[in-house]
Amino acid sequence: MKYRTWYLTISTTLIALSAFFYMIQIHIFHEEHETFFLMLQDLSFVPVNVLLVTLILDRLLKKREKQGLLNKMNMVIGVFFNEVGTELIKIVGGFLENIEDVNSRLQISQKWKDKDFKEVMHKISIGPDHLAIDSPNLIVLKEFLEKKKDDLLNMLANPNLLEHDTFTNLLWAVFHVADELAHRPDLKNLPTGDLAHLKVDI
């Protein structure tokens, strides 16, 4: 409500000032016809001005701003994989029963195009049934995530994450696994239900 009142006050003041200056111009030069002609001429340019400023310049500025945010996000993603992601992939890979098949399909080269990545994503089959979870691996995963908790929190606090839903979801998934493991102090004697739940999370 306060914003509307402020907006209305500013609008009324600006219109009143414009009318006041037009009246001064008429009073000094006594050229009503010329004044109204110039006023209509200015008004006729307003749509073009709106087009240039609102549609073209605004779009260019937003595009440049978005590109800057994406560059910052790429830096954050790079830090994630340097500090956490690469080692996390190795640890989780230790749970996979079909790790040889996954590795054979992920022989990435510089010749790969977007379609190659999409194709291999459809061909690789990874689900809870492909995981062989045991206590030693869970302990390694838990200790690693506990050690990297502060790094993950710092990344999650980055406001630029809003521009990258996929990476944000990845961080939340990692945090969820870390929380699930943290709430299980004894990973050596987990019931079958807990193991099944952890398989889905991982």
Side-chain angles (χ1 to χ4, degrees):
M1 189 68 180
K2 290 182 179 179
Y3 176 78
R4 289 183 178 179
T5 303
W6 176 86
Y7 188 81
L8 182 61
T9 302
I10 292 295
S11 300
T12 305
T13 302
L14 291 174
I15 292 173
L17 280 173
S18 180
F20 175 71
F21 286 122
Y22 275 122
M23 290 175 63
I24 290 177
Q25 183 179 357
I26 293 173
H27 178 73
I28 294 175
F29 299 104
H30 304 288
E31 292 286 348
E32 294 90 347
H33 181 272
E34 183 75 14
T35 299
F36 285 113
F37 171 78
L38 293 174
M39 182 174 65
L40 288 175
Q41 190 177 49
D42 291 340
L43 287 174
S44 66
F45 185 70
V46 169
V48 178
N49 192 39
V50 171
L51 175 66
L52 291 174
V53 175
T54 305
L55 300 181
I56 298 177
L57 291 179
D58 186 58
R59 180 172 294 183
L60 289 174
L61 290 173
K62 284 184 177 179
K63 184 177 180 181
R64 184 175 180 180
E65 182 182 1
K66 186 174 182 180
Q67 186 61 46
L69 287 175
L70 289 176
N71 290 337
K72 292 179 181 178
M73 274 307 308
N74 287 335
M75 291 175 61
V76 175
I77 293 172
V79 170
F80 169 78
F81 280 101
N82 286 333
E83 298 294 329
V84 182
T86 303
E87 185 62 27
L88 186 60
I89 290 173
K90 292 179 182 177
I91 296 172
V92 173
F95 294 114
L96 288 176
E97 292 181 331
N98 63 335
I99 187 64
E100 290 81 8
D101 177 60
V102 173
N103 285 339
S104 65
R105 295 182 183 274
L106 289 177
Q107 300 303 312
I108 301 171
S109 70
Q110 293 181 348
K111 296 180 180 180
W112 277 38
K113 306 295 183 184
D114 286 345
K115 64 177 183 179
D116 297 308
F117 286 98
K118 291 178 181 178
E119 184 178 344
V120 78
M121 284 173 63
H122 289 297
K123 287 184 177 180
I124 290 180
S125 177
I126 298 177
D129 294 337
H130 297 100
L131 299 182
I133 291 182
D134 54 32
S135 298
N137 280 344
L138 284 177
I139 292 172
V140 170
L141 178 59
K142 180 180 179 179
E143 291 177 347
F144 176 74
L145 292 176
E146 286 178 347
K147 184 173 64 174
K148 297 296 183 180
K149 187 174 183 179
D150 289 341
D151 293 331
L152 292 169
L153 283 171
N154 289 333
M155 293 177 198
L156 200 58
N158 192 316
N160 296 322
L161 282 178
L162 296 174
E163 299 296 320
H164 204 304
D165 293 338
T166 304
F167 183 63
T168 304
N169 292 337
L170 169 63
L171 284 182
W172 278 119
V174 174
F175 265 109
H176 182 69
V177 172
D179 287 340
E180 291 290 340
L181 294 173
H183 284 90
R184 291 170 172 80
D186 184 10
L187 296 177
K188 294 181 180 179
N189 299 295
L190 290 175
T192 305
D194 277 9
L195 289 173
H197 183 85
L198 288 171
K199 277 187 176 184
V200 174
D201 290 338
I202 293 172

